[in-house]
Amino acid sequence: MAPRWAYCRHHVIGGSHYAYTEALSDARGEHNFPTKYSALCLMEPAPNGLWRETVLADTETGCFRDVDVSFDGKRLLYSYKGSARGDDFHLYEMDLETRAVKQLTFGEGFADYEACYLPSGQIIFNSTRCVQIVDCAHADVSNLFRCEADGSRITRLTYDQVHDNFPTLTWDDRILYTRWEYNDRSQIYMQPLFGMSLD
């Protein structure tokens, strides 16, 4: 079977600093939300040898980000926020065959993003549910959390002073992620790589 790619299209989300979370609706510091067009897309080969893009969902006021594909290739997991000052980013899942969408996480004032599927059927994701700000500014901290496939039983996995980011499943069933470190390094650029086992 020819490869297919799922991805999100959006304007730059980043801010002036590593891992800032300005796009939250209650952002206490900078508020940098990409308010222009955003889309959840699928790319697949076309009969003429080129590539065909299918827009699965799009918005003029919100933002799609952080798409992940289920192990069977039938579902997409992603983060979505409907507007700059509306509810925050939460996790959603789309059935690729029917295009039915189900919201998995809820909670105004919390942002859930950077999610990926785990072999157990659970989901690991980044979230501001730890309700902290960084030591030197009014930027919301994000740590790693886990939930069941339906979004229930949200459990905090890390207890770090500042941001954890980009949880990624490896081929040998470990989770790799980055952590913002203040010690012995620039606070803005390269950050250390950490790993955890699935248990």
Side-chain angles (χ1 to χ4, degrees), residues 9-65:
R9 184 189 299 157
H10 54 71
H11 289 262
V12 175
I13 296 177
S16 61
H17 203 287
Y18 172 82
Y20 260 15
T21 48
E22 301 98 327
L24 307 186
S25 64
D26 65 342
R28 289 176 280 266
E30 299 178 33
H31 187 76
N32 178 22
F33 185 76
T35 55
K36 298 180 181 177
Y37 181 79
S38 179
L40 178 64
C41 303
L42 187 68
M43 183 77 73
E44 51 196 338
N48 60 4
L50 300 176
W51 294 90
R52 178 178 60 237
E53 179 185 70
T54 302
V55 175
L56 302 172
D58 62 355
T59 176
E60 296 288 343
T61 60
C63 182
F64 294 92
R65 58 177 290 184

Side-chain angles (χ1 to χ4, degrees), residues 152-198:
S152 65
R153 293 183 59 202
I154 294 175
T155 304
R156 187 173 178 180
L157 299 179
T158 57
Y159 291 81
D160 289 320
Q161 176 182 2
V162 286
H163 307 312
D164 295 323
N165 286 107
F166 315 121
T168 303
L169 181 67
T170 65
W171 292 111
D172 59 351
D173 289 337
R174 291 177 299 136
I175 299 295
L176 295 184
Y177 63 98
T178 60
R179 189 174 83 188
W180 187 14
E181 289 284 349
Y182 272 88
N183 298 328
D184 300 323
R185 66 181 67 242
S186 164
Q187 76 274 26
I188 298 178
Y189 300 111
M190 295 300 293
Q191 299 299 319
L193 193 62
F194 287 80
M196 72 168 67
S197 61
L198 291 181

Side-chain angles (χ1 to χ4, degrees), residues 50-121:
L50 300 176
W51 294 90
R52 178 178 60 237
E53 179 185 70
T54 302
V55 175
L56 302 172
D58 62 355
T59 176
E60 296 288 343
T61 60
C63 182
F64 294 92
R65 58 177 290 184
D66 311 318
V67 67
D68 191 47
V69 181
S70 64
F71 293 99
D72 60 9
K74 295 181 178 179
R75 291 164 291 129
L76 297 181
L77 176 65
Y78 60 92
S79 300
Y80 176 73
K81 178 174 163 57
S83 65
R85 293 293 179 182
D87 198 6
D88 288 295
F89 282 103
H90 292 300
L91 305 185
Y92 291 78
E93 188 176 59
M94 175 184 283
D95 182 296
L96 273 173
E97 184 177 347
T98 65
R99 307 278 174 89
V101 172
K102 177 171 55 176
Q103 184 173 349
L104 302 180
T105 62
F106 301 82
E108 191 170 354
F110 301 129
D112 306 320
Y113 49 96
E114 295 173 357
C116 71
Y117 289 107
L118 298 176
S120 64

